[in-house]
């Protein structure tokens, strides 16, 4: 077994047309059969820029998920995916400007990542906050801080 580089790193932050900016404390969630959803995170050198963007990695490339509104930008949040319906749930985290902790639950539906009829639900998980999802439901435990 060995690691394989799928994308190149990009240092810095700000609007990026082809890939998400470099960040830490983001959530990366599997969306079977072969996609990933990236949400939030922060770039903290110097100062701190928090992200509230969502990106999908599929087919060897990134694309930004456009939504009419989005939750407050944050890092150290948790994101899980409901394997039966395909929705992503965001919980917790903290933001820098304004500095605050979050405890609301937000839902994101990405039509291109909805499960195919008859697809076997799979376990999906989680981020730094400690969440897990299973066919029976999901749980969020703890959080960053």
């Amino acid at each position: 077994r060995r690691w394989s580089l799928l994308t190149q790193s990009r240092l810095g932050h700000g609007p990026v047309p082809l890939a998400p900016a470099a960040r830490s404390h983001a959530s990366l969630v599997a969306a079977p059969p072969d996609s990933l959803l990236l949400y939030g995170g922060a770039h903290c050198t110097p100062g701190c820029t928090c992200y509230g963007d969502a990106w999908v990695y599929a087919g060897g490339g990134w694309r930004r998920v456009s939504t009419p509104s989005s939750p407050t930008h944050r890092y150290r949040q948790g994101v899980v995916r409901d394997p039966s319906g395909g929705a992503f749930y965001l919980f917790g985290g903290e933001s820098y400007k304004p500095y605050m902790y979050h405890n609301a639950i937000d839902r994101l539906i990405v039509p291109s990542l909805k499960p195919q009829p008859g697809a076997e639900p799979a376990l999906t998980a989680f981020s730094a906050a400690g969440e897990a999802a299973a066919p029976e439901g999901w749980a969020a435990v703890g959080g960053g801080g």
Side-chain angles (χ1 to χ4, degrees):
R1 302 192 190 261
R2 57 190 278 185
W3 289 93
S4 299
L5 180 65
L6 298 178
T7 66
Q8 295 295 319
S9 297
R10 180 187 178 280
L11 298 177
H13 53 83
V16 181
L18 301 176
R23 61 191 70 202
S24 62
H25 306 294
S27 296
L28 185 67
V29 182
D34 59 0
S35 299
L36 299 169
L37 177 88
L38 173 71
Y39 177 80
H43 181 79
C44 293
T45 338
C48 194
T49 299
C50 296
Y51 297 106
D53 54 352
W55 293 79
V56 170
Y57 180 80
W62 291 100
R63 72 175 169 83
R64 189 171 185 160
V65 177
S66 297
T67 58
S69 65
S70 55
T72 303
H73 54 276
R74 63 188 75 183
Y75 62 101
R76 293 185 178 165
Q77 70 284 332
V79 175
V80 295
R81 180 178 173 269
D82 172 13
S84 61
F88 295 90
Y89 293 90
L90 165 67
F91 175 78
E94 59 186 292
S95 56
Y96 182 63
K97 291 180 183 176
Y99 186 80
M100 61 189 294
Y101 291 100
H102 302 274
N103 66 352
I105 297 174
D106 292 284
R107 181 176 67 184
L108 173 64
I109 296 173
V110 181
S112 63
L113 298 181
K114 291 191 83 147
Q116 299 300 317
E120 183 69 27
L123 290 175
T124 59
F126 49 86
S127 81
E131 297 78 29
E136 300 83 29
W138 60 273
V141 180

